[in-house]
Amino acid sequence: MSSKFRGKYLQIIPLGIAHLKFDNSGNHYTWRKVSTTVHNMIVGKLWLDNHGEMEIINHKTGDKCCLKFIPYSYFSRETPKKVTGYVVDNEGTFKWFITGMWDEKIEACRVTSQSMRGGKPTYETGPPKVLWKRNTVNPEAERYYNFTELACQLNEPEENVAPTDSRNRPDQRLMEEGNWEEANLEKLRLEEKQRATRRKREADAELAANEGREYPAYSPTWFRKLTDEATGALIFRYTHEYWDCKERQDWSRCPDIF
């Protein structure tokens, strides 16, 4: 992802492509997430908005779903958080129309017939079908940033994971334990350690260039960069080595980041 910080808001732009493949049917879907903007970063109540266009493709059948996440605007009459879209088959024929809100529910109506009126296509649809509906949130959700129960559990410590696992990040752990001052100091230490590591890599790369040597680019531990055969985009694919190392508790390849 890339990000833009403009003082009042932070915009997060996903760059990677998500894949979902069903082994039994062979249906293989890809999509790219829309952008997220977090408002009132400095003053006021934090709130976020998802906006942009999303294209979901079934590479087995050629079916395509196009969704538009309409951005919030003070001057717009559109319903906030609204999502609209449609599904077409591999011949471009409309099969479904989609509408809803990304934080409440999404519905779809099947196209039952198509006709021309005044030179424009008109579609008849069946009754709406609920595709997704948000689970009821805990009444006290606002006290913990409206996180779901799953989101609250994601940072719970677990034994025998890699030392680079984000749940082992010491400043995060101190913060969860309520040690705010120690957490801030630890955060500063980690940031400076990260900067020092980057400076060393830059210095080593410059020395290698002056000596005419090739300096190896940074390479992830559990992923490798390659061209995705479905989309043609550069992706990072899992190497299937992590779980084997976890079973043997061999973390020798993990860098010292904490």
mmCIF file of all heavy atoms in Angstrom, residues 59-90:
data_model
loop_
_atom_site.group_PDB
_atom_site.id
_atom_site.type_symbol
_atom_site.label_atom_id
_atom_site.label_comp_id
_atom_site.label_asym_id
_atom_site.label_seq_id
_atom_site.Cartn_x
_atom_site.Cartn_y
_atom_site.Cartn_z
ATOM 1 N N HIS A 59 -11.699 -15.514 -13.017
ATOM 2 C CA HIS A 59 -10.836 -15.853 -14.151
ATOM 3 C C HIS A 59 -11.211 -17.180 -14.791
ATOM 4 O O HIS A 59 -10.741 -17.472 -15.887
ATOM 5 C CB HIS A 59 -9.377 -15.866 -13.695
ATOM 6 C CG HIS A 59 -8.887 -14.514 -13.286
ATOM 7 N ND1 HIS A 59 -8.382 -13.600 -14.169
ATOM 8 C CD2 HIS A 59 -8.857 -13.912 -12.069
ATOM 9 C CE1 HIS A 59 -8.040 -12.486 -13.536
ATOM 10 N NE2 HIS A 59 -8.331 -12.663 -12.257
ATOM 11 N N LYS A 60 -12.046 -17.968 -14.140
ATOM 12 C CA LYS A 60 -12.499 -19.225 -14.747
ATOM 13 C C LYS A 60 -13.642 -18.983 -15.728
ATOM 14 O O LYS A 60 -13.656 -19.531 -16.829
ATOM 15 C CB LYS A 60 -12.948 -20.210 -13.657
ATOM 16 C CG LYS A 60 -13.488 -21.525 -14.224
ATOM 17 C CD LYS A 60 -14.020 -22.434 -13.129
ATOM 18 C CE LYS A 60 -14.611 -23.707 -13.740
ATOM 19 N NZ LYS A 60 -15.185 -24.610 -12.706
ATOM 20 N N THR A 61 -14.616 -18.156 -15.338
ATOM 21 C CA THR A 61 -15.815 -17.951 -16.150
ATOM 22 C C THR A 61 -15.780 -16.664 -16.967
ATOM 23 O O THR A 61 -16.534 -16.524 -17.927
ATOM 24 C CB THR A 61 -17.059 -17.920 -15.251
ATOM 25 O OG1 THR A 61 -16.967 -16.777 -14.374
ATOM 26 C CG2 THR A 61 -17.159 -19.192 -14.426
ATOM 27 N N GLY A 62 -14.940 -15.691 -16.542
ATOM 28 C CA GLY A 62 -14.937 -14.401 -17.210
ATOM 29 C C GLY A 62 -15.970 -13.442 -16.655
ATOM 30 O O GLY A 62 -16.082 -12.304 -17.117
ATOM 31 N N ASP A 63 -16.760 -13.874 -15.656
ATOM 32 C CA ASP A 63 -17.722 -12.972 -15.020
ATOM 33 C C ASP A 63 -16.980 -11.842 -14.306
ATOM 34 O O ASP A 63 -15.862 -12.033 -13.804
ATOM 35 C CB ASP A 63 -18.582 -13.731 -14.007
ATOM 36 C CG ASP A 63 -19.451 -14.787 -14.662
ATOM 37 O OD1 ASP A 63 -19.627 -14.719 -15.886
ATOM 38 O OD2 ASP A 63 -19.944 -15.685 -13.953
ATOM 39 N N LYS A 64 -17.636 -10.693 -14.246
ATOM 40 C CA LYS A 64 -16.989 -9.529 -13.649
ATOM 41 C C LYS A 64 -18.001 -8.750 -12.822
ATOM 42 O O LYS A 64 -19.145 -8.540 -13.253
ATOM 43 C CB LYS A 64 -16.417 -8.631 -14.742
ATOM 44 C CG LYS A 64 -15.643 -7.432 -14.248
ATOM 45 C CD LYS A 64 -15.224 -6.533 -15.411
ATOM 46 C CE LYS A 64 -14.315 -7.263 -16.379
ATOM 47 N NZ LYS A 64 -13.847 -6.346 -17.461
ATOM 48 N N CYS A 65 -17.573 -8.335 -11.645
ATOM 49 C CA CYS A 65 -18.383 -7.477 -10.771
ATOM 50 C C CYS A 65 -17.672 -6.142 -10.619
ATOM 51 O O CYS A 65 -16.487 -6.098 -10.254
ATOM 52 C CB CYS A 65 -18.584 -8.132 -9.403
ATOM 53 S SG CYS A 65 -19.446 -7.082 -8.212
ATOM 54 N N CYS A 66 -18.375 -5.054 -10.915
ATOM 55 C CA CYS A 66 -17.816 -3.701 -10.793
ATOM 56 C C CYS A 66 -18.562 -2.965 -9.693
ATOM 57 O O CYS A 66 -19.793 -2.818 -9.766
ATOM 58 C CB CYS A 66 -17.932 -2.951 -12.110
ATOM 59 S SG CYS A 66 -17.034 -3.718 -13.476
ATOM 60 N N LEU A 67 -17.844 -2.509 -8.684
ATOM 61 C CA LEU A 67 -18.430 -1.804 -7.558
ATOM 62 C C LEU A 67 -17.858 -0.397 -7.454
ATOM 63 O O LEU A 67 -16.678 -0.180 -7.732
ATOM 64 C CB LEU A 67 -18.163 -2.543 -6.242
ATOM 65 C CG LEU A 67 -18.728 -3.950 -6.098
ATOM 66 C CD1 LEU A 67 -18.275 -4.560 -4.775
ATOM 67 C CD2 LEU A 67 -20.245 -3.939 -6.189
ATOM 68 N N LYS A 68 -18.699 0.539 -7.054
ATOM 69 C CA LYS A 68 -18.262 1.910 -6.831
ATOM 70 C C LYS A 68 -18.594 2.310 -5.403
ATOM 71 O O LYS A 68 -19.767 2.316 -5.008
ATOM 72 C CB LYS A 68 -18.932 2.871 -7.816
ATOM 73 C CG LYS A 68 -18.448 4.306 -7.674
ATOM 74 C CD LYS A 68 -19.069 5.219 -8.731
ATOM 75 C CE LYS A 68 -18.524 6.637 -8.611
ATOM 76 N NZ LYS A 68 -19.123 7.525 -9.647
ATOM 77 N N PHE A 69 -17.560 2.625 -4.624
ATOM 78 C CA PHE A 69 -17.724 3.114 -3.258
ATOM 79 C C PHE A 69 -17.751 4.636 -3.342
ATOM 80 O O PHE A 69 -16.720 5.263 -3.636
ATOM 81 C CB PHE A 69 -16.571 2.647 -2.366
ATOM 82 C CG PHE A 69 -16.595 1.172 -2.052
ATOM 83 C CD1 PHE A 69 -16.427 0.221 -3.053
ATOM 84 C CD2 PHE A 69 -16.770 0.736 -0.753
ATOM 85 C CE1 PHE A 69 -16.439 -1.128 -2.769
ATOM 86 C CE2 PHE A 69 -16.787 -0.622 -0.447
ATOM 87 C CZ PHE A 69 -16.625 -1.550 -1.461
ATOM 88 N N ILE A 70 -18.921 5.214 -3.130
ATOM 89 C CA ILE A 70 -19.096 6.650 -3.343
ATOM 90 C C ILE A 70 -18.503 7.421 -2.168
ATOM 91 O O ILE A 70 -18.862 7.174 -1.006
ATOM 92 C CB ILE A 70 -20.581 6.984 -3.521
ATOM 93 C CG1 ILE A 70 -21.124 6.235 -4.750
ATOM 94 C CG2 ILE A 70 -20.798 8.487 -3.662
ATOM 95 C CD1 ILE A 70 -22.608 6.349 -4.936
ATOM 96 N N PRO A 71 -17.577 8.361 -2.427
ATOM 97 C CA PRO A 71 -16.946 9.092 -1.328
ATOM 98 C C PRO A 71 -17.910 10.060 -0.652
ATOM 99 O O PRO A 71 -18.834 10.590 -1.278
ATOM 100 C CB PRO A 71 -15.800 9.843 -2.026
ATOM 101 C CG PRO A 71 -16.264 10.009 -3.440
ATOM 102 C CD PRO A 71 -17.069 8.773 -3.743
ATOM 103 N N TYR A 72 -17.693 10.280 0.632
ATOM 104 C CA TYR A 72 -18.520 11.231 1.367
ATOM 105 C C TYR A 72 -18.220 12.646 0.897
ATOM 106 O O TYR A 72 -17.070 13.016 0.659
ATOM 107 C CB TYR A 72 -18.252 11.135 2.867
ATOM 108 C CG TYR A 72 -18.915 12.247 3.652
ATOM 109 C CD1 TYR A 72 -20.260 12.150 3.998
ATOM 110 C CD2 TYR A 72 -18.213 13.385 4.010
ATOM 111 C CE1 TYR A 72 -20.894 13.170 4.705
ATOM 112 C CE2 TYR A 72 -18.833 14.416 4.720
ATOM 113 C CZ TYR A 72 -20.174 14.303 5.061
ATOM 114 O OH TYR A 72 -20.790 15.312 5.741
ATOM 115 N N SER A 73 -19.271 13.441 0.744
ATOM 116 C CA SER A 73 -19.118 14.854 0.398
ATOM 117 C C SER A 73 -20.163 15.651 1.149
ATOM 118 O O SER A 73 -21.355 15.300 1.157
ATOM 119 C CB SER A 73 -19.267 15.076 -1.108
ATOM 120 O OG SER A 73 -19.287 16.467 -1.405
ATOM 121 N N TYR A 74 -19.730 16.726 1.754
ATOM 122 C CA TYR A 74 -20.646 17.595 2.507
ATOM 123 C C TYR A 74 -21.721 18.179 1.605
ATOM 124 O O TYR A 74 -22.837 18.453 2.030
ATOM 125 C CB TYR A 74 -19.842 18.712 3.176
ATOM 126 C CG TYR A 74 -20.679 19.660 4.007
ATOM 127 C CD1 TYR A 74 -21.090 19.303 5.294
ATOM 128 C CD2 TYR A 74 -21.061 20.904 3.498
ATOM 129 C CE1 TYR A 74 -21.861 20.172 6.061
ATOM 130 C CE2 TYR A 74 -21.827 21.778 4.254
ATOM 131 C CZ TYR A 74 -22.222 21.407 5.528
ATOM 132 O OH TYR A 74 -22.989 22.257 6.284
ATOM 133 N N PHE A 75 -21.377 18.361 0.319
ATOM 134 C CA PHE A 75 -22.298 19.005 -0.612
ATOM 135 C C PHE A 75 -23.126 18.002 -1.419
ATOM 136 O O PHE A 75 -23.954 18.388 -2.233
ATOM 137 C CB PHE A 75 -21.509 19.894 -1.586
ATOM 138 C CG PHE A 75 -20.674 20.930 -0.895
ATOM 139 C CD1 PHE A 75 -19.315 20.738 -0.709
ATOM 140 C CD2 PHE A 75 -21.258 22.093 -0.397
ATOM 141 C CE1 PHE A 75 -18.542 21.695 -0.071
ATOM 142 C CE2 PHE A 75 -20.497 23.043 0.253
ATOM 143 C CZ PHE A 75 -19.131 22.847 0.421
ATOM 144 N N SER A 76 -22.893 16.712 -1.220
ATOM 145 C CA SER A 76 -23.593 15.699 -2.003
ATOM 146 C C SER A 76 -24.878 15.256 -1.303
ATOM 147 O O SER A 76 -24.958 15.226 -0.079
ATOM 148 C CB SER A 76 -22.693 14.483 -2.234
ATOM 149 O OG SER A 76 -23.408 13.455 -2.889
ATOM 150 N N ARG A 77 -25.877 14.883 -2.109
ATOM 151 C CA ARG A 77 -27.121 14.351 -1.574
ATOM 152 C C ARG A 77 -27.096 12.828 -1.486
ATOM 153 O O ARG A 77 -28.070 12.209 -1.072
ATOM 154 C CB ARG A 77 -28.298 14.794 -2.443
ATOM 155 C CG ARG A 77 -28.547 16.313 -2.424
ATOM 156 C CD ARG A 77 -29.767 16.669 -3.247
ATOM 157 N NE ARG A 77 -30.027 18.107 -3.215
ATOM 158 C CZ ARG A 77 -31.035 18.703 -3.857
ATOM 159 N NH1 ARG A 77 -31.871 17.961 -4.574
ATOM 160 N NH2 ARG A 77 -31.205 20.008 -3.782
ATOM 161 N N GLU A 78 -25.987 12.242 -1.916
ATOM 162 C CA GLU A 78 -25.864 10.788 -1.869
ATOM 163 C C GLU A 78 -25.826 10.301 -0.416
ATOM 164 O O GLU A 78 -25.337 10.977 0.477
ATOM 165 C CB GLU A 78 -24.591 10.330 -2.584
ATOM 166 C CG GLU A 78 -24.650 10.419 -4.096
ATOM 167 C CD GLU A 78 -25.444 9.277 -4.720
ATOM 168 O OE1 GLU A 78 -26.060 8.494 -3.967
ATOM 169 O OE2 GLU A 78 -25.451 9.188 -5.953
ATOM 170 N N THR A 79 -26.359 9.093 -0.214
ATOM 171 C CA THR A 79 -26.300 8.482 1.105
ATOM 172 C C THR A 79 -24.851 8.183 1.473
ATOM 173 O O THR A 79 -24.123 7.580 0.676
ATOM 174 C CB THR A 79 -27.100 7.165 1.126
ATOM 175 O OG1 THR A 79 -28.439 7.425 0.708
ATOM 176 C CG2 THR A 79 -27.099 6.544 2.511
ATOM 177 N N PRO A 80 -24.374 8.613 2.635
ATOM 178 C CA PRO A 80 -22.988 8.310 3.025
ATOM 179 C C PRO A 80 -22.728 6.809 3.047
ATOM 180 O O PRO A 80 -23.615 6.014 3.373
ATOM 181 C CB PRO A 80 -22.880 8.917 4.432
ATOM 182 C CG PRO A 80 -23.956 9.945 4.490
ATOM 183 C CD PRO A 80 -25.074 9.421 3.636
ATOM 184 N N LYS A 81 -21.519 6.426 2.658
ATOM 185 C CA LYS A 81 -21.053 5.030 2.690
ATOM 186 C C LYS A 81 -21.788 4.146 1.675
ATOM 187 O O LYS A 81 -21.812 2.931 1.815
ATOM 188 C CB LYS A 81 -21.198 4.438 4.105
ATOM 189 C CG LYS A 81 -20.501 5.272 5.178
ATOM 190 C CD LYS A 81 -20.748 4.730 6.562
ATOM 191 C CE LYS A 81 -20.094 5.608 7.620
ATOM 192 N NZ LYS A 81 -20.356 5.127 8.977
ATOM 193 N N LYS A 82 -22.344 4.762 0.644
ATOM 194 C CA LYS A 82 -23.128 4.015 -0.342
ATOM 195 C C LYS A 82 -22.231 3.252 -1.306
ATOM 196 O O LYS A 82 -21.167 3.722 -1.697
ATOM 197 C CB LYS A 82 -24.020 4.981 -1.130
ATOM 198 C CG LYS A 82 -24.983 4.293 -2.088
ATOM 199 C CD LYS A 82 -25.914 5.305 -2.756
ATOM 200 C CE LYS A 82 -26.880 4.632 -3.708
ATOM 201 N NZ LYS A 82 -27.786 5.610 -4.360
ATOM 202 N N VAL A 83 -22.684 2.058 -1.692
ATOM 203 C CA VAL A 83 -21.993 1.221 -2.679
ATOM 204 C C VAL A 83 -22.995 0.855 -3.772
ATOM 205 O O VAL A 83 -24.125 0.442 -3.474
ATOM 206 C CB VAL A 83 -21.436 -0.062 -2.053
ATOM 207 C CG1 VAL A 83 -20.736 -0.914 -3.104
ATOM 208 C CG2 VAL A 83 -20.481 0.253 -0.914
ATOM 209 N N THR A 84 -22.606 1.036 -5.026
ATOM 210 C CA THR A 84 -23.431 0.608 -6.150
ATOM 211 C C THR A 84 -22.578 -0.230 -7.089
ATOM 212 O O THR A 84 -21.348 -0.128 -7.080
ATOM 213 C CB THR A 84 -24.011 1.806 -6.925
ATOM 214 O OG1 THR A 84 -22.927 2.584 -7.468
ATOM 215 C CG2 THR A 84 -24.856 2.687 -6.023
ATOM 216 N N GLY A 85 -23.238 -1.046 -7.911
ATOM 217 C CA GLY A 85 -22.460 -1.865 -8.844
ATOM 218 C C GLY A 85 -23.319 -2.807 -9.646
ATOM 219 O O GLY A 85 -24.558 -2.774 -9.592
ATOM 220 N N TYR A 86 -22.639 -3.664 -10.390
ATOM 221 C CA TYR A 86 -23.328 -4.623 -11.252
ATOM 222 C C TYR A 86 -22.422 -5.807 -11.521
ATOM 223 O O TYR A 86 -21.200 -5.745 -11.311
ATOM 224 C CB TYR A 86 -23.740 -3.962 -12.573
ATOM 225 C CG TYR A 86 -22.579 -3.344 -13.328
ATOM 226 C CD1 TYR A 86 -21.782 -4.104 -14.202
ATOM 227 C CD2 TYR A 86 -22.257 -1.998 -13.164
ATOM 228 C CE1 TYR A 86 -20.715 -3.552 -14.879
ATOM 229 C CE2 TYR A 86 -21.189 -1.438 -13.834
ATOM 230 C CZ TYR A 86 -20.425 -2.206 -14.695
ATOM 231 O OH TYR A 86 -19.351 -1.653 -15.364
ATOM 232 N N VAL A 87 -23.035 -6.886 -12.004
ATOM 233 C CA VAL A 87 -22.305 -8.088 -12.403
ATOM 234 C C VAL A 87 -22.640 -8.377 -13.858
ATOM 235 O O VAL A 87 -23.818 -8.371 -14.243
ATOM 236 C CB VAL A 87 -22.686 -9.297 -11.525
ATOM 237 C CG1 VAL A 87 -21.982 -10.560 -12.023
ATOM 238 C CG2 VAL A 87 -22.337 -9.039 -10.069
ATOM 239 N N VAL A 88 -21.622 -8.620 -14.671
ATOM 240 C CA VAL A 88 -21.814 -8.999 -16.072
ATOM 241 C C VAL A 88 -21.119 -10.330 -16.331
ATOM 242 O O VAL A 88 -20.163 -10.691 -15.636
ATOM 243 C CB VAL A 88 -21.260 -7.925 -17.042
ATOM 244 C CG1 VAL A 88 -22.037 -6.620 -16.913
ATOM 245 C CG2 VAL A 88 -19.766 -7.679 -16.783
ATOM 246 N N ASP A 89 -21.622 -11.064 -17.331
ATOM 247 C CA ASP A 89 -20.965 -12.318 -17.692
ATOM 248 C C ASP A 89 -19.845 -12.052 -18.688
ATOM 249 O O ASP A 89 -19.509 -10.890 -18.974
ATOM 250 C CB ASP A 89 -21.976 -13.326 -18.242
ATOM 251 C CG ASP A 89 -22.676 -12.844 -19.517
ATOM 252 O OD1 ASP A 89 -22.171 -11.894 -20.156
ATOM 253 O OD2 ASP A 89 -23.723 -13.422 -19.874
ATOM 254 N N ASN A 90 -19.237 -13.110 -19.228
ATOM 255 C CA ASN A 90 -18.080 -12.928 -20.112
ATOM 256 C C ASN A 90 -18.451 -12.304 -21.454
ATOM 257 O O ASN A 90 -17.572 -11.931 -22.222
ATOM 258 C CB ASN A 90 -17.374 -14.274 -20.335
ATOM 259 C CG ASN A 90 -18.307 -15.323 -20.927
ATOM 260 O OD1 ASN A 90 -19.482 -15.064 -21.172
ATOM 261 N ND2 ASN A 90 -17.776 -16.512 -21.143
#
